[in-house]
Amino acid sequence: MWIALVSLYGVLKGARDVIKKKALQKSSAVEVLFFYTLLSFIFVLPEIGTAMAVDGHFLGYVAVKSVIIFIAWICSFKAIEHLPISFFGVMDMSRVIFASILGIIGLGEVITQKKAIGMLIVLAGLMLVNLPQKGTASKNTAGVKYILLVLLSCFLNACSEMLDKMLMKDMTSGQLQFWYMFFLVILYLGYMLVTKTKIDIKIIFKNYWVLILSVLFVIGDKALFIACSYEGSTVIAMTLIKQCSVLVTIIGGRLVFKEKRTVYRIVCACVIILGIITALL
């Protein structure tokens, strides 16, 4: 069951990445982030009753998770704004490395031989898809800043995933979603006030992509948190399964943004999926 839930999260995550780029064509990253989290929080307000029953001790950990995601999302949104979405989707798979290391160090998870082989195949697919086309080396060099932002986002997301696994032992998915979104709304609101970010209310309310993002986010995170509560799920395995999102971003990049190298990237994605299947068998 948890594998199906994580797979659902992966598909929705890939769709969200494509939609984020569409939303950023109409509004700034900070505007999208604030209203995206605000709408998501409104959607989880029905959980307020059970959320108030959470032991205050755990709220500190949820706050730490929220700060981590606050920074990670700023990094990823800036990268999505400037990089091809299919390229971003592939680079985002770097979180496999970080999640695996953190799962071993922080949660004492064990890498079996099959998981190790699967991870190596995933990394091989990642390296293949990053092979530059002739004449694109200079362009990729110019985007080093945003590639570093993707890698930082991947590391922070891996830290957040480890906290999810720990917190879901003592909280329900609704409780975690409520407080996590509550802290994020405060953080982005504070960021806007400190940086004196100007908001174009007319445009942001017409940017329906933000609403779609919020709906997909709430559904995806609900599925992920429930999956974390299963005893058999591990950070390493879940991170590997999530990589199915790359297929959505590659296809979305082609259909929505007319990006190139689609067939080549799909072949590389199939290599990655082979690695995921190998790790889970």
Side-chain angles (χ1 to χ4, degrees), residues 211-254:
L211 174 61
I212 297 172
L213 268 178
S214 302
V215 173
L216 296 183
F217 173 64
V218 171
I219 295 172
D221 264 25
K222 185 77 170 179
L224 182 64
F225 292 156
I226 292 173
C228 285
S229 65
Y230 280 77
E231 191 173 338
S233 63
T234 64
V235 171
I236 296 173
M238 288 192 295
T239 303
L240 286 168
I241 296 170
K242 288 175 190 176
Q243 304 320 307
C244 63
S245 64
V246 71
L247 281 175
V248 182
T249 54
I250 292 172
I251 295 171
R254 176 63 180 177

Side-chain angles (χ1 to χ4, degrees), residues 41-58:
F41 178 64
I42 291 171
F43 288 140
V44 299
L45 275 177
E47 299 286 352
I48 189 169
T50 56
M52 292 303 168
V54 174
D55 189 325
H57 169 73
F58 297 112

Side-chain angles (χ1 to χ4, degrees), residues 134-145:
K134 290 182 179 180
T136 61
S138 60
K139 186 176 180 180
N140 287 340
T141 303
V144 167
K145 170 185 174 181

Side-chain angles (χ1 to χ4, degrees), residues 79-224:
I80 287 172
E81 205 170 9
H82 294 88
L83 294 173
I85 195 62
S86 55
F87 181 74
F88 170 85
V90 173
M91 286 304 302
D92 191 53
M93 290 189 295
S94 302
R95 67 173 67 191
V96 170
I97 303 169
F98 299 120
S100 299
I101 294 171
L102 290 172
I104 296 166
I105 297 173
L107 299 175
E109 294 181 359
V110 178
I111 290 190
T112 63
Q113 185 177 16
K114 286 183 179 178
K115 284 182 180 177
I117 294 172
M119 199 188 321
L120 288 173
I121 295 173
V122 169
L123 292 176
L126 179 60
M127 292 175 66
L128 283 172
V129 83
N130 272 304
L131 288 176
Q133 233 180 344
K134 290 182 179 180
T136 61
S138 60
K139 186 176 180 180
N140 287 340
T141 303
V144 167
K145 170 185 174 181
Y146 300 108
I147 291 173
L148 292 176
L149 286 177
V150 177
L151 293 175
L152 177 57
S153 172
C154 288
F155 171 71
L156 293 173
N157 274 296
C159 293
S160 173
E161 288 163 7
M162 184 175 70
L163 282 171
D164 289 343
K165 186 64 180 172
M166 296 167 63
L167 289 167
M168 283 306 298
K169 294 178 181 178
D170 302 285
M171 300 176 71
T172 67
S173 59
Q175 289 172 332
L176 182 52
Q177 272 193 306
F178 179 90
W179 288 112
Y180 160 45
M181 298 312 305
F182 172 76
F183 288 127
L184 275 179
V185 170
I186 292 175
L187 287 167
Y188 285 120
L189 178 60
Y191 180 83
M192 286 197 305
L193 292 174
V194 170
T195 58
K196 298 179 180 179
T197 302
K198 293 182 180 179
I199 298 175
D200 193 323
I201 297 295
K202 289 183 179 180
I203 292 179
I204 195 69
F205 277 111
K206 290 180 180 179
N207 194 348
Y208 56 86
W209 296 111
V210 177
L211 174 61
I212 297 172
L213 268 178
S214 302
V215 173
L216 296 183
F217 173 64
V218 171
I219 295 172
D221 264 25
K222 185 77 170 179
L224 182 64

Side-chain angles (χ1 to χ4, degrees), residues 7-27:
S7 298
L8 173 61
Y9 172 87
V11 171
L12 294 180
K13 179 189 176 300
R16 283 199 340 254
D17 287 342
V18 175
I19 294 170
K20 284 173 189 175
K21 196 166 183 70
K22 290 294 293 183
L24 290 169
Q25 291 179 339
K26 294 185 176 182
S27 306

